[in-house]
Amino acid sequence: MDLKGRDFLTLLDFTTEEIEYLLDLAAELKQKKQNHVPHRMHEGKNVALIFEKTSTRTRCAFEVAANDLGMGSTYLGPTGSQMGVKESIPDTARVLSRMYDGIEYRGFGQKIVEELAEYSDVPVFNGLTNEFHPTQILADMLTIREHFGKLKGIHLVYMGDARYNMGRSLMVGCAKLGLYFTACAPDGYFPDEELTEQCRRIAQETGAVIEFNGDPLSAVKGADVIYTDIWVSMGEPEEVWAERINLMKPYQVNAQLMKTAGEQAVFLHCLPSYHDLRTEIGKQVGEKYGMNALEVTDEVFEGPQSLVFDEAENRMHTIKAVMAAIL
């Protein structure tokens, strides 16, 4: 399958067969790495990594994947470039295109990564925007497939605020690959109607199911995958934290919720997670709101049903597959 030269901005741009090919390639490259088989298929190439939002997993995954493929990488952090400050996005794209073979962007609006792609002469990869997180979804789907041996028909429940990149992107991934997707959230916290309708049209072709449910215990009953994300993003004002935490408390993934789902269920989280008080933010929130954990309890996060670190590792293997195929 030929994906050479394509931008990787959202899974909506790829067919079911193309996404499955990327997952197969990721599995193949993962096996090669585990067996210490070199796969430097892009020797001498270079990628620019633009990070307007910092990250542990995304940065490490792109840098290690690039190195394994024989490529160099340049990290441009929040203060590492003049994009949007002293230099426009189109100018940045055209400059970097003359020096690099690919450009990764992690930051804010989807329009930014789309504008980069419009003016770039080399492929652009979406490392995360407010609206979509496609590399994370590939890692999630590879993890699910490794555990269950299949994707089609698997029931995934996303718990919490489903309005932004993770809830939206999981819905797209499930629609494309034939999973049963449930967003479990309070009213007003579901993906937007336009994207939902688009995913339901895709689901008609793939056999996927798209549903919304406001009741946590009924939503997870018999589910195969319980997925959640942090409730509040860094930088949001303090009053948002109070409102969001109070609203989201019933959607916390805890032992009772996992028991309701059943022994077959696994837990996934894109990380970072406030499952204990070992971070500055976690400690502050815990002291202020009297909670030992937020979106998931430590018991679940560290429990036998949790696959979060398999999932985190798979970020690197799937990102490697994307760059290998497209470059």
Side-chain angles (χ1 to χ4, degrees), residues 51-66:
F51 278 67
E52 291 190 322
K53 286 184 178 179
T54 57
S55 169
T56 300
R57 279 149 302 283
T58 304
R59 177 180 177 177
C60 293
F62 267 100
E63 288 188 347
V64 174

Side-chain angles (χ1 to χ4, degrees), residues 1-17:
M1 186 169 289
D2 185 9
L3 301 181
K4 187 176 180 180
R6 297 270 295 273
D7 294 313
F8 190 77
L9 308 183
T10 166
L11 291 182
L12 290 168
D13 299 333
F14 291 80
T15 66
T16 298
E17 292 73 25

Side-chain angles (χ1 to χ4, degrees), residues 116-138:
L116 274 172
E118 180 182 353
Y119 287 93
S120 172
D121 294 326
V122 298
V124 173
F125 310 108
N126 181 358
L128 172 142
T129 63
N130 294 340
E131 293 87 352
F132 293 107
H133 199 359
T135 60
Q136 178 67 53
I137 304 310
L138 288 183

Side-chain angles (χ1 to χ4, degrees), residues 147-203:
H147 183 79
F148 291 101
K150 64 175 185 175
L151 287 171
K152 200 169 183 65
I154 291 294
H155 186 187
L156 183 149
V157 180
Y158 180 80
M159 301 291 299
D161 190 344
R163 297 173 298 172
Y164 301 116
N165 47 36
M166 283 313 304
R168 289 164 52 90
S169 295
L170 282 166
M171 181 170 69
V172 172
C174 289
K176 286 282 186 177
L177 294 168
L179 283 77
Y180 182 161
F181 173 79
T182 300
C184 184
D187 287 341
Y189 285 78
F190 295 114
D192 64 272
E193 187 174 335
E194 181 179 354
L195 182 64
T196 299
E197 287 307 310
Q198 189 174 1
C199 287
R200 283 182 168 146
R201 289 194 296 271
I202 295 168

Side-chain angles (χ1 to χ4, degrees), residues 276-280 282-283 302:
D276 57 25
L277 305 180
R278 293 184 179 183
T279 62
E280 289 183 14
K283 186 177 180 181
E302 298 288 0

